Amino acid sequence: MKYFSRVVLLLAILVFSFSIIVSAQENAREAAKWEVRDFLGKLFEANKAKDLKKIESFYSHNADVVFIGPTNNDRWVGWTSFHKHIAPIYADKSFKYTKMAFRDAVIYPSKTGDFASFSVIVDEAFDFKGKTVEVPGTRFSGAAEKVDGKWQIVQHVYFVPLPAKEEK
């Protein structure tokens, strides 16, 4: 009987410990979702303000960070490569965002809460060389990693969807 009691007690401790671990992982994942959502909001604010210094702080500076844009030629590897592309656009005084907001965020954090994939729909508009351009429903997805307590984008995919074809 004494042996049986010890086994039951040991099993109860194991079940309790496992439930604490699972709960901690779920809490870490839920916290990561909100952190990444806030992080993305701040990234879009920095983009709307054309603040390249601030934008730079949202991205990993590892040589293998990847940026993919909306055209066949839009693929840059490394922050320096991407920066060379966006710097002249953001420096152009005729370019100004008039709207940049994201919605329908889907954020999938790792169990440990230090890595997350994300996907959002972006509604944006800007003035450029005297023309107003509205681009609703662009897609921005990627992956972010938490390094030293700070989120950084390690993969960036941004594209404008083609209009849906009508089904016949």
Side-chain angles (χ1 to χ4, degrees):
M1 187 67 172
K2 207 175 194 184
Y3 176 76
F4 180 74
S5 296
R6 286 183 183 166
V7 170
V8 169
L9 178 62
L10 181 60
L11 285 174
I13 290 170
L14 288 173
V15 168
F16 180 71
S17 298
F18 180 73
S19 67
I20 288 174
I21 291 169
V22 169
S23 177
Q25 285 178 342
E26 283 306 309
N27 288 343
R29 291 187 75 210
E30 196 58 35
K33 280 183 185 182
W34 288 105
E35 288 174 7
V36 171
R37 183 181 306 273
D38 183 56
F39 168 80
L40 291 172
K42 290 176 182 172
L43 170 64
F44 285 113
E45 288 172 12
N47 269 288
K48 189 173 180 187
K50 298 183 356 179
D51 185 342
L52 275 178
K53 272 286 193 209
K54 196 167 192 175
I55 292 167
E56 184 176 338
S57 72
F58 288 91
Y59 289 91
S60 169
H61 290 225
N62 291 340
D64 56 357
V65 62
V66 176
F67 301 85
I68 298 172
T71 72
N72 288 342
N73 297 329
D74 293 347
R75 182 176 184 276
W76 303 273
V77 179
W79 169 256
T80 303
S81 175
F82 185 63
H83 185 271
K84 285 178 187 174
H85 166 71
I86 65 170
I89 297 167
Y90 279 30
D92 190 324
K93 300 255 188 255
S94 72
F95 177 77
K96 179 184 178 193
Y97 279 109
T98 56
K99 178 181 183 180
M100 180 169 272
F102 74 95
R103 59 184 165 88
D104 301 333
V106 177
I107 300 165
Y108 185 81
S110 65
K111 288 180 181 178
T112 57
D114 60 356
F115 191 87
S117 64
F118 61 85
S119 173
V120 298
I121 297 176
V122 183
D123 296 317
E124 61 185 299
F126 53 88
D127 293 333
F128 186 57
K129 299 195 187 275
K131 291 186 178 182
T132 298
V133 179
E134 290 191 35
V135 193
T138 58
R139 306 312 201 248
F140 176 45
S141 63
E145 182 178 28
K146 197 172 196 179
V147 178
D148 297 327
K150 182 176 175 271
W151 287 98
Q152 296 179 334
I153 294 174
V154 294
Q155 184 180 40
H156 166 124
V157 180
Y158 196 78
F159 67 96
V160 180
L162 296 173
K165 292 183 181 179
E166 290 185 31
E167 291 186 32
K168 294 181 182 181

